Amino acid sequence: RMYVRMRDYLRNELGVKALLTDENWGTQPAPMQAVRASLFDYVDAHHYVDHPEFPEGGWHLPSTLYNENILGQDGCSMEISWRRVTNKPFAVSEWNFCGPARHRSMSGLYMGTLAALQDWNVLWRFAYSHWFTAYDDNFGSVGYFDAVNDPTALMAERLFVPLFLRGDL
């Protein structure tokens, strides 16, 4: 009901013509498919492999990650693909194989191939850089998300872009 009220206000009161969606994060139980199909203009999802966890809370050290090799998991972590809805555009507005996990080098081939095979509409990495200071000569260390100072993530960019955008698959 909340989404319908917000959507109707945006469309009818403000005249918004942009495509609207919701519910793009977290676990997505099967009943959400009916909601996505009936209410949203497109389906949006987030997908992270080795998202950091902070055992003492907050976003401060210590942190842990599992160094997951998604190719060894049941379904190859493709639950993101099961969020699609027939005849709706599909976007992955945030994705990353977070640093410094050791299997992140496969991220570009994996995501680019999956997106190309399934004809996704949008694939955006989170994030290139959180801070303008990352562009200085002193790049700093590899973090959880930013690609700007992570050679592995930058290499993955060069793999997923042609697979997805140009259809090199």
Side-chain angles (χ1 to χ4, degrees), residues 23-26 44-48 80 83 91-95:
E23 297 295 325
N24 59 7
W25 59 276
D44 185 18
H46 293 177
H47 184 67
Y48 289 91
I80 189 171
R83 296 182 190 177
V92 178
S93 62
E94 288 186 22
W95 74 272

Side-chain angles (χ1 to χ4, degrees), residues 28-117:
Q28 298 291 324
M32 277 302 298
Q33 285 299 85
V35 173
R36 286 192 276 277
S38 65
L39 296 180
F40 305 158
D41 296 327
Y42 70 100
V43 176
D44 185 18
H46 293 177
H47 184 67
Y48 289 91
V49 174
D50 275 325
H51 193 287
E53 295 182 14
F54 303 91
E56 294 181 9
W59 279 81
H60 56 79
L61 296 176
S63 66
T64 61
L65 48 87
Y66 295 98
N67 281 306
E68 295 179 278
N69 180 346
I70 60 168
L71 298 180
Q73 295 177 356
D74 290 341
C76 294
S77 188
M78 292 185 358
E79 70 276 356
I80 189 171
S81 304
W82 304 330
R83 296 182 190 177
R84 296 195 68 186
V85 172
T86 304
N87 298 323
K88 296 267 183 182
F90 185 69
V92 178
S93 62
E94 288 186 22
W95 74 272
N96 207 332
F97 285 42
C98 303
R102 66 181 172 197
H103 297 290
R104 71 189 190 283
S105 62
M106 72 173 69
S107 67
L109 289 174
Y110 177 82
M111 292 300 285
T113 298
L114 197 58
L117 283 174

